[in-house]
Amino acid sequence: FKQKTAYEISLGLVGSEMCIRDRSSTTVMLSGGQDSTTCLYWVLAKFNHVEAIGFDYGQKHLIELETAQQSCHNLGISLSLT
């Protein structure tokens, strides 16, 4: 069994767009890693308003949270860190 990445899953969702009924807004859980950042860009292309939420749970790689903050700043997206 091979676990799919968020990017691979998002590719499968492209053909399932009829499942998205309301494109007004959405929230992305963003770690700052490659998978969640890819999902962020995917939803930016699909939704009118995007916000992000990240969690500081004492993870080993704080660089990912810094990357999440920088990505959101560059894209003009609100990021809430808890």
Side-chain angles (χ1 to χ4, degrees):
F1 175 75
K2 180 185 177 252
Q3 184 176 359
K4 291 185 177 184
T5 65
Y7 176 72
E8 291 170 323
I9 293 168
S10 73
L11 289 176
L13 293 175
V14 172
S16 304
E17 290 184 20
M18 60 260 195
C19 295
I20 302 172
R21 297 175 201 266
D22 181 4
R23 294 179 186 269
S24 59
S25 67
T26 193
T27 301
V28 175
M29 291 185 7
L30 185 64
S31 70
Q34 293 177 352
D35 293 340
S36 67
T37 302
T38 298
C39 288
L40 174 64
Y41 277 86
W42 186 85
V43 299
L44 278 172
K46 307 294 178 197
F47 290 86
N48 299 325
H49 178 79
V50 176
E51 294 183 2
I53 186 168
F55 299 95
D56 182 357
Y57 56 89
Q59 58 266 52
K60 184 175 162 182
H61 304 289
L62 287 178
I63 188 76
E64 289 188 347
L65 282 180
E66 294 168 5
T67 300
Q69 290 174 316
Q70 188 63 48
S71 294
C72 288
H73 174 77
N74 292 344
L75 294 167
I77 294 171
S78 170
L79 172 65
S80 299
L81 287 177
T82 60

